[in-house]
mmCIF file of all heavy atoms in Angstrom:
data_model
loop_
_atom_site.group_PDB
_atom_site.id
_atom_site.type_symbol
_atom_site.label_atom_id
_atom_site.label_comp_id
_atom_site.label_asym_id
_atom_site.label_seq_id
_atom_site.Cartn_x
_atom_site.Cartn_y
_atom_site.Cartn_z
ATOM 1 N N ALA A 26 43.427 19.734 4.498
ATOM 2 C CA ALA A 26 43.427 20.168 5.903
ATOM 3 C C ALA A 26 44.228 21.450 6.075
ATOM 4 O O ALA A 26 43.794 22.380 6.777
ATOM 5 C CB ALA A 26 43.987 19.059 6.789
ATOM 6 N N PHE A 36 40.172 34.093 8.099
ATOM 7 C CA PHE A 36 38.891 34.566 8.636
ATOM 8 C C PHE A 36 39.092 35.156 10.036
ATOM 9 O O PHE A 36 38.476 36.164 10.395
ATOM 10 C CB PHE A 36 37.879 33.427 8.691
ATOM 11 C CG PHE A 36 37.473 32.912 7.323
ATOM 12 C CD1 PHE A 36 37.133 31.576 7.135
ATOM 13 C CD2 PHE A 36 37.444 33.757 6.231
ATOM 14 C CE1 PHE A 36 36.762 31.103 5.888
ATOM 15 C CE2 PHE A 36 37.076 33.292 4.966
ATOM 16 C CZ PHE A 36 36.740 31.951 4.797
ATOM 17 N N LEU A 60 39.214 43.436 3.918
ATOM 18 C CA LEU A 60 38.657 42.883 2.680
ATOM 19 C C LEU A 60 39.606 41.898 2.006
ATOM 20 O O LEU A 60 39.186 40.852 1.497
ATOM 21 C CB LEU A 60 38.302 44.012 1.710
ATOM 22 C CG LEU A 60 37.032 44.804 2.026
ATOM 23 C CD1 LEU A 60 36.853 45.931 1.014
ATOM 24 C CD2 LEU A 60 35.819 43.889 2.032
ATOM 25 N N LEU A 61 40.900 42.205 2.009
ATOM 26 C CA LEU A 61 41.869 41.346 1.318
ATOM 27 C C LEU A 61 41.937 39.940 1.924
ATOM 28 O O LEU A 61 41.759 38.947 1.198
ATOM 29 C CB LEU A 61 43.250 42.001 1.312
ATOM 30 C CG LEU A 61 44.343 41.214 0.565
ATOM 31 C CD1 LEU A 61 43.950 41.030 -0.896
ATOM 32 C CD2 LEU A 61 45.687 41.916 0.686
ATOM 33 N N ASN A 87 37.214 3.779 -3.048
ATOM 34 C CA ASN A 87 38.443 3.003 -3.098
ATOM 35 C C ASN A 87 38.852 2.378 -1.768
ATOM 36 O O ASN A 87 39.206 1.198 -1.719
ATOM 37 C CB ASN A 87 39.583 3.891 -3.625
ATOM 38 C CG ASN A 87 39.291 4.414 -5.018
ATOM 39 O OD1 ASN A 87 38.817 3.690 -5.879
ATOM 40 N ND2 ASN A 87 39.571 5.687 -5.244
ATOM 41 N N LYS A 179 10.146 -15.725 -0.271
ATOM 42 C CA LYS A 179 8.732 -16.056 -0.110
ATOM 43 C C LYS A 179 7.902 -14.851 -0.529
ATOM 44 O O LYS A 179 8.180 -13.727 -0.093
ATOM 45 C CB LYS A 179 8.445 -16.421 1.353
ATOM 46 C CG LYS A 179 6.976 -16.381 1.775
ATOM 47 C CD LYS A 179 6.149 -17.477 1.154
ATOM 48 C CE LYS A 179 4.710 -17.433 1.685
ATOM 49 N NZ LYS A 179 3.787 -18.254 0.906
ATOM 50 N N PHE A 192 7.697 2.222 22.104
ATOM 51 C CA PHE A 192 8.444 3.287 21.432
ATOM 52 C C PHE A 192 8.020 4.667 21.918
ATOM 53 O O PHE A 192 8.817 5.598 21.982
ATOM 54 C CB PHE A 192 8.258 3.188 19.914
ATOM 55 C CG PHE A 192 6.881 3.569 19.447
ATOM 56 C CD1 PHE A 192 6.601 4.860 19.047
ATOM 57 C CD2 PHE A 192 5.863 2.617 19.417
ATOM 58 C CE1 PHE A 192 5.335 5.211 18.613
ATOM 59 C CE2 PHE A 192 4.600 2.969 18.983
ATOM 60 C CZ PHE A 192 4.332 4.259 18.582
ATOM 61 N N GLY A 193 6.762 4.860 22.287
ATOM 62 C CA GLY A 193 6.283 6.179 22.689
ATOM 63 C C GLY A 193 6.865 6.652 23.997
ATOM 64 O O GLY A 193 6.963 7.847 24.251
ATOM 65 N N GLU A 216 3.042 -16.617 20.250
ATOM 66 C CA GLU A 216 3.211 -17.521 21.381
ATOM 67 C C GLU A 216 4.394 -17.171 22.263
ATOM 68 O O GLU A 216 4.496 -17.634 23.393
ATOM 69 C CB GLU A 216 3.383 -18.969 20.864
ATOM 70 C CG GLU A 216 2.146 -19.563 20.202
ATOM 71 C CD GLU A 216 1.907 -19.005 18.796
ATOM 72 O OE1 GLU A 216 2.847 -18.403 18.226
ATOM 73 O OE2 GLU A 216 0.794 -19.159 18.279
ATOM 74 N N ALA A 241 11.317 -20.180 15.998
ATOM 75 C CA ALA A 241 12.769 -20.042 15.804
ATOM 76 C C ALA A 241 13.121 -18.635 15.329
ATOM 77 O O ALA A 241 14.093 -18.032 15.811
ATOM 78 C CB ALA A 241 13.262 -21.075 14.797
ATOM 79 N N LEU A 249 18.899 -10.710 17.789
ATOM 80 C CA LEU A 249 19.407 -9.619 16.961
ATOM 81 C C LEU A 249 19.121 -8.278 17.613
ATOM 82 O O LEU A 249 19.978 -7.392 17.652
ATOM 83 C CB LEU A 249 18.754 -9.673 15.572
ATOM 84 C CG LEU A 249 19.168 -8.583 14.582
ATOM 85 C CD1 LEU A 249 20.636 -8.724 14.210
ATOM 86 C CD2 LEU A 249 18.296 -8.650 13.334
ATOM 87 N N PHE A 261 7.625 -7.431 6.596
ATOM 88 C CA PHE A 261 7.716 -8.473 5.576
ATOM 89 C C PHE A 261 6.734 -8.098 4.475
ATOM 90 O O PHE A 261 5.510 -8.196 4.641
ATOM 91 C CB PHE A 261 7.390 -9.835 6.187
ATOM 92 C CG PHE A 261 8.290 -10.202 7.344
ATOM 93 C CD1 PHE A 261 7.995 -9.764 8.631
ATOM 94 C CD2 PHE A 261 9.436 -10.956 7.139
ATOM 95 C CE1 PHE A 261 8.819 -10.088 9.703
ATOM 96 C CE2 PHE A 261 10.264 -11.276 8.213
ATOM 97 C CZ PHE A 261 9.962 -10.842 9.491
ATOM 98 N N PRO A 271 17.776 2.175 14.294
ATOM 99 C CA PRO A 271 18.009 3.585 14.643
ATOM 100 C C PRO A 271 19.468 3.799 15.057
ATOM 101 O O PRO A 271 19.966 3.140 15.965
ATOM 102 C CB PRO A 271 17.069 3.819 15.828
ATOM 103 C CG PRO A 271 16.112 2.669 15.813
ATOM 104 C CD PRO A 271 16.857 1.520 15.240
ATOM 105 N N GLU A 307 22.242 -14.718 11.239
ATOM 106 C CA GLU A 307 21.537 -14.539 12.520
ATOM 107 C C GLU A 307 20.072 -14.972 12.402
ATOM 108 O O GLU A 307 19.513 -15.592 13.314
ATOM 109 C CB GLU A 307 21.602 -13.073 12.952
ATOM 110 C CG GLU A 307 22.977 -12.576 13.351
ATOM 111 C CD GLU A 307 23.348 -12.956 14.770
ATOM 112 O OE1 GLU A 307 22.477 -13.411 15.510
ATOM 113 O OE2 GLU A 307 24.532 -12.784 15.123
ATOM 114 N N LYS A 317 9.486 -19.259 -3.708
ATOM 115 C CA LYS A 317 8.626 -18.201 -4.261
ATOM 116 C C LYS A 317 7.638 -18.821 -5.234
ATOM 117 O O LYS A 317 7.972 -19.668 -6.036
ATOM 118 C CB LYS A 317 9.478 -17.154 -4.963
ATOM 119 C CG LYS A 317 10.291 -16.312 -4.009
ATOM 120 C CD LYS A 317 11.055 -15.248 -4.766
ATOM 121 C CE LYS A 317 11.882 -14.415 -3.805
ATOM 122 N NZ LYS A 317 12.678 -13.389 -4.515
#
Side-chain angles (χ1 to χ4, degrees):
F36 294 148
L60 284 177
L61 182 60
N87 300 317
K179 162 70 177 167
F192 71 93
E216 293 75 16
L249 179 66
F261 302 85
E307 291 279 349
K317 289 183 181 178

